[in-house]
Amino acid sequence: MLRNKRMKIARVECDFSQEQLAKAVGVARQTIGMIEAGNYNPSLNLCIAICKALNKTLNDLFWEEDLR
Amino acid sequence: MKLFRKIVDERQELEMMRVERGSFWVMLLALVVAILVQLFALGYDFEHIAGEFIALVIGAVWSTAGYLRRGSWDYFTKPGVKTYALYSLAAGIIFGLVAPLTRYFRYGAPLLDCLRVFAINFISVYVLAFLTLLLLGTITKKRQKKLQQEYKEDK
């Protein structure tokens, strides 16, 4: 799995810590860390919740251009 | 108010389910081994292993019912005659060997007797397993068809 740098950048841009984002979407901080590290594939529901919390679209954060 | 509110997220739940799945199969296998050892190697009566047997049956029925309800079969094969034949062969060999091996090593029974016992046990287990799998496979296929209809694309 690839690291999700875009999600990390978007989180930092929103001035969110991992802890704050985790609280906003209702998951553990470790889960956010693992998604950013590419060690966990979140469900579509969680992806949407993260996108809403960070004001981004699914394409912005989770679409892999290289795979097309 | 719910007595127990889930406080784990989807990743934690998935990881816990993976651990629980592993432990379920280990327990199920351990129960089978414990029952076979007690019955055949130690020579216990059925009443001595009734508790383990009931636990094994509950676990097996629970998981089988869950699989049937969701139209699931197993991780590696699809329901079909080849699958039933293969699994029945494995069951026949494994469970067919237990009694003759016990007779041979524990009671020193003649080899020919043991072979005869093996043949009878093998055929009995093979036929029983095949029929059971045939029944379960047929129900699974029917359930899969029903679920496919349920989630059919709108025209």
Side-chain angles (χ1 to χ4, degrees), chain B residues 16-83:
Chain B
M16 288 168 80
M17 283 166 77
R18 280 186 187 141
V19 172
E20 286 158 6
R21 181 182 65 181
S23 51
F24 169 78
W25 285 110
V26 167
M27 269 193 267
L28 207 67
L29 196 68
L31 271 176
V32 173
V33 172
I35 288 171
L36 291 178
V37 167
Q38 287 179 87
L39 273 183
F40 294 101
L42 302 176
Y44 286 2
D45 294 330
F46 181 76
E47 54 207 62
H48 284 99
I49 55 107
E52 286 102 317
F53 185 76
I54 290 167
L56 178 73
V57 170
I58 290 172
V61 167
W62 191 301
S63 57
T64 305
Y67 277 21
L68 288 178
R69 215 176 60 211
R70 288 163 183 79
S72 305
W73 182 246
D74 76 10
Y75 288 98
F76 311 105
T77 61
K78 288 178 179 175
V81 176
K82 263 189 195 172
T83 306

Side-chain angles (χ1 to χ4, degrees), chain A residues 53-65:
Chain A
L54 298 178
N55 283 320
K56 295 283 180 188
T57 66
L58 284 169
N59 276 4
D60 290 339
L61 298 187
F62 296 103
W63 186 253
E64 290 294 340
E65 291 292 333

